[in-house]
Structures are given as structure tokens and as C-alpha cells.
């Protein structure tokens, strides 16, 4: 079976970090977002097709270096084709069925059970659904008998949302759905194609495990908490001389003598925390330095950045913005 992973977006909501690295390579609880996504794939998936675009070469380098055992194909879009166009462009020679994964979802989903549901139902597809309070940023399903999806509305106003069950970004489809996507233009699979497939049978797979769309800074940090709380963060040993409690992920060659590393912190390789620095509920990527007495809370700090000493950096995304 093949899995098609959509990975071509710009990640605008995580700028400025995403000017230099694609969002899928931002570490969460010690591993890149993409690692957690691919970790969901069941063993019967023997080939991963990555529909790339923005910073495709960086993604390719990471995947080839870190997942040598998996057969991987990269299909790059020269201009962004959206989710539907990306599927069409990368979907030649798909397996039947195939898995479709968003690359920015941190979740616990029983993909095998999703596949079983799809096989039993006889429909054209099955969509993992997760229940959220605020449905506004998502695609929302209306469910009929046997959890057949009878309506699907993308980003509805609250009054128009048919339920609180949203597309969790982990789906299985019959190969034939790809034939319904026009070639050569950008389009959204969810808004332009899914509604027309409802009459052919799409079933909802209600998942009650943790779930978060890690596409914004707040949600990425929430996803990190979920992973740590599920015991999926780390490795998590504080370096010698650092204080603090709670779950952390710490890379190689981290120096933090006299600093405090609070809970839900992820420090990349070569991070230096000077004396009196404090980090909590944050991601500090490789080579970040926090000067003496600097406090970093609820923030995501891009590779190589220097954080000033003696000040509080709270709820920030720090990275380098390219010159215009
Ligand atoms: P924002 O710019 O912050 O909205 O992020 P994004 O560009 O990643 O968009 P969004 O979060 O809506 O994307 C959902 C999923 O679809 C992610 O896995 C994206 O990588 C992927 N995606 C979005 N646009 C494209 C595209 O044009 N081509 C491909 N192949 N994937 C896409």
C-alpha cells in the first residue's frame, strides 16, 4: 500500500521560521513534525509518496537521511497545486486503496482500524474525524446512519457547522477518486472534490485519541504537550548542571549549567543556555543561545538564533526574515 503525504504548503502561519525551514521539519518533543506523521503509518504501507513544493530539497534530504528503510518517492510541484492538484500530480500509479496524510497533524490514530472500516464499508473512502470545540478552521462532517458522511463543509461559520467532528487529515481512498481531479490546476480536494464523492460513500472514522493541527505556534506547542504527555517525547535528560522538572527533549552537545529547563521544552543540538536562563513550554532549534537571565516561555526559536539575556521572550516565533 502507498501513502500520499501532502507537504507542499508554505507554512505561512509559522513565519519567520518557515522562511528558512519547512514547517514539517520543526522539531516537536524532540523529533520533526514529519517524523511524527510518518510514524502513524502501519506496516502494510511499503511506499511513501511525498507531494512536495516549498523547500522540497530540504524535505528530501531529511527523509532520505532519516528513513533509509522506507521506499520514498518525491513529486515536486513547481507552483503550488493545492491539496487536490497535489494529489493528482503525485497520484499516478497509486495503490488501491491509498492513504492520504496531511503533514502537519500530530495525532494518535489507529490507521489499521481506519483501513478496516474502509474495507468493510464498500465506499470510496473513509476519513478520520476528531471532535473539536471550535470547528471554524477545519472541514466539518455531517454524519448519517453508520457514520456515513452525508455533508462536508470546509471552514464553516459556527452556526453552519453540521457537527463538531472534523477532518483529522488521515484518510483512505479508492484509487479511482484521483480520476475525478482535473489535472494541471490548483484546487482544494476538500472543497472541490469531496462534496461530489459523498454520494459514492465516504465513511467517518471517529478517533478519540489525541489530535492537534500543528500549523500555528500555539497549536504546535499544544501538540508538543500532547506528545510529551503520551510519553512520545525525548530523549529527555537535562544536561549536567541544569535544574528543572517535567518532560523535556534535549539534543546533543547542549550546555545549560546554572540554567533552568522547565516542563514541555525541546532543545535541539548545540543549544547553549547561559547561567540564570529559563526555558519552558518552548522549542529551541539547533544552535540557539539564550544569554544570561533570559527567559523563553511559550515560544519557538529558529536555528542559530540568539535570545537576549535578562528579558522575557513570551509567545514569540523567532527566526530570520529574508531581506526584501
Ligand atoms: P499555512 O500557510 O500556514 O496555511 O500552512 P500550509 O501552507 O501548510 O497550509 P495548510 O495548513 O492549510 O495545509 C494543509 C496540508 O496540505 C499540509 O500538509 C500542507 O503541507 C499541504 N498543502 C497545502 N498546500 C499544498 C499544495 O499546494 N501542495 C501540496 N502538495 N501540499 C499542500
Amino acid at each position: 500500500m502507498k501513502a500520499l503525504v501532502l507537504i507542499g504548503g508554505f507554512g505561512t502561519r509559522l513565519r519567520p521560521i518557515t522562511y528558512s525551514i519547512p514547517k514539517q521539519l520543526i522539531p516537536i518533543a524532540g523529533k520533526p513534525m514529519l517524523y511524527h506523521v510518518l510514524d502513524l503509518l502501519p506496516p502494510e504501507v511499503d511506499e511513501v509518496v511525498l507531494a512536495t513544493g516549498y523547500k522540497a530539497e530540504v524535505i528530501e534530504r531529511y527523509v532520505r537521511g532519516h528513513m533509509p528503510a522506507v521506499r520514498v518517492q518525491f513529486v515536486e510541484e513547481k507552483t503550488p497545486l493545492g491539496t487536490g492538484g497535489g494529489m493528482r500530480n503525485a497520484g499516478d500509479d497509486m495503490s488501491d486503496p491509498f492513504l492520504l496524510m496531511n503533514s502537519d497533524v500530530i495525532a494518535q490514530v489507529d490507521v489499521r482500524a481506519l483501513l478496516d472500516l474502509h474495507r468493510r464499508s464498500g465506499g470510496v473512502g473513509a476519513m478520520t474525524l476528531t471532535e473539536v470545540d471550535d470547528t471554524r478552521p477545519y472541514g466539518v462532517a455531517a454524519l448519517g446512519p453508520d457514520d456515513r458522511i452525508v455533508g462536508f463543509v470546509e471552514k464553516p461559520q459556527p452556526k453552519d457547522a453540521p457537527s463538531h467532528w472534523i477532518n483529522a487529515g488521515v484518510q483512505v481512498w479508492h484509487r479511482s477518486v484521483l480520476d475525478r481531479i482535473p489535472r494541471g490546476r490548483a484546487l482544494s480536494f476538500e472543497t472541490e472534490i469531496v462534496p461530489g464523492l459523498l454520494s459514492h460513500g465516504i465513511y467517518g472514522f471517529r478517533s478519540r485519541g489525541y489530535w492537534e493541527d500543528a500549523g500555528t505556534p500555539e497549536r504546535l506547542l499544544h501538540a508538543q504537550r500532547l506528545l510529551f504527555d503520551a510519553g512520545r517525547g525525548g530523549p529527555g535528560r537535562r544536561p549536567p548542571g541544569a535544574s528543572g522538572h517535567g518532560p523535556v527533549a534535549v539534543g546533543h552537545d547542549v550546555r545549560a549549567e546554572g540554567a533552568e529547563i522547565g516542563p514541555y521544552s525541546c532543545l535541539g543540538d548545540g543549544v547553549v543556555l547561559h547561567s540564570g536562563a529559563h526555558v519552558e513550554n518552548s522549542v529551541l532549534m539547533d544552535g540557539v543561545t539564550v544569554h544570561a537571565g533570559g527567559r523563553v516561555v511559550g515560544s519557538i526559536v529558529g536555528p542559530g538564533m540568539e535570545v537576549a539575556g535578562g528579558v522575557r521572550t513570551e509567545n514569540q516565533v523567532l527566526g530570520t526574515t529574508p531581506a526584501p
Side-chain angles (χ1 to χ4, degrees):
M1 188 182 314
K2 292 192 186 187
L4 176 53
V5 183
L6 296 168
I7 195 168
F10 288 107
T12 53
R13 292 165 298 164
L14 284 162
R15 284 178 179 166
I17 286 183
T18 46
Y19 285 124
S20 52
I21 63 160
K23 73 172 165 185
Q24 292 81 4
L25 295 192
I26 297 176
I28 308 182
K31 303 258 181 8
M33 187 185 296
L34 183 59
Y35 171 95
H36 299 292
V37 172
L38 298 179
D39 204 32
L40 282 176
L41 298 176
E44 56 257 58
V45 170
D46 55 9
E47 185 166 343
V48 178
V49 181
L50 293 154
T52 60
Y54 184 61
K55 299 215 178 280
E57 67 296 340
V58 192
I59 289 174
E60 185 162 344
R61 213 177 311 132
Y62 167 75
V63 175
R64 292 214 189 277
H66 287 75
M67 288 157 187
V70 186
R71 199 143 38 116
V72 196
Q73 192 195 339
F74 297 88
V75 185
E76 185 180 343
E77 291 155 39
K78 293 298 167 207
T79 53
L81 291 172
T83 51
M87 287 169 69
R88 185 61 159 142
N89 189 51
D92 291 340
D93 206 23
M94 264 297 129
S95 59
D96 194 10
F98 68 95
L99 279 170
L100 176 69
M101 317 275 293
N102 279 8
S103 56
D104 51 4
V105 153
I106 298 296
Q108 182 188 41
V109 174
D110 184 347
V111 177
R112 281 213 153 137
L114 168 73
L115 291 168
D116 285 347
L117 168 72
H118 174 65
R119 289 190 186 107
R120 278 198 319 273
S121 72
V124 288
M127 189 182 275
T128 306
L129 304 174
T130 188
E131 197 173 22
V132 298
D133 290 334
D134 182 4
T135 56
R136 282 174 299 175
Y138 305 113
V140 188
L143 292 159
D146 297 326
D147 281 348
R148 181 167 172 162
I149 299 179
V150 293
F152 189 78
V153 203
E154 193 60 27
K155 299 185 178 60
Q157 286 304 306
K159 66 176 177 34
D160 302 322
S163 77
H164 283 270
W165 289 92
I166 61 149
N167 173 10
V170 181
Q171 305 163 29
V172 55
W173 292 102
H174 196 280
R175 188 176 47 205
S176 63
V177 303
L178 294 166
D179 301 332
R180 305 175 71 96
I181 305 175
R183 271 191 195 275
R185 73 171 172 91
L187 76 153
S188 157
F189 180 65
E190 296 77 8
T191 48
E192 291 192 48
I193 305 297
V194 168
L197 291 170
L198 293 176
S199 61
H200 299 267
I202 306 175
Y203 287 82
F205 173 66
R206 298 187 200 227
S207 176
R208 295 175 202 276
Y210 61 78
W211 183 87
E212 186 58 280
D213 157 14
T216 69
E218 306 75 38
R219 293 195 212 127
L220 188 150
L221 292 174
H222 182 241
Q224 173 159 275
R225 293 178 85 100
L226 293 172
L227 285 168
F228 275 126
D229 287 344
R232 302 186 68 85
R237 186 178 295 204
R238 286 174 176 76
S243 62
H245 62 89
V248 295
V250 178
H252 298 293
D253 303 321
V254 171
R255 287 191 286 128
E257 209 156 309
E260 186 178 2
I261 307 174
Y264 303 111
S265 302
C266 166
L267 311 185
D269 294 343
V271 164
V272 178
L273 307 181
H274 286 281
S275 180
H278 172 97
V279 175
E280 183 184 319
N281 186 32
S282 293
V283 172
L284 272 52
M285 296 182 62
D286 293 351
V288 166
T289 300
V290 181
H291 289 282
R295 291 179 68 82
V296 182
V297 178
S299 296
I300 308 173
V301 185
M305 300 298 293
E306 303 238 351
V307 180
V311 296
R312 190 176 166 93
T313 300
E314 189 160 356
N315 302 337
Q316 302 282 315
V317 179
L318 303 182
T320 311
T321 304

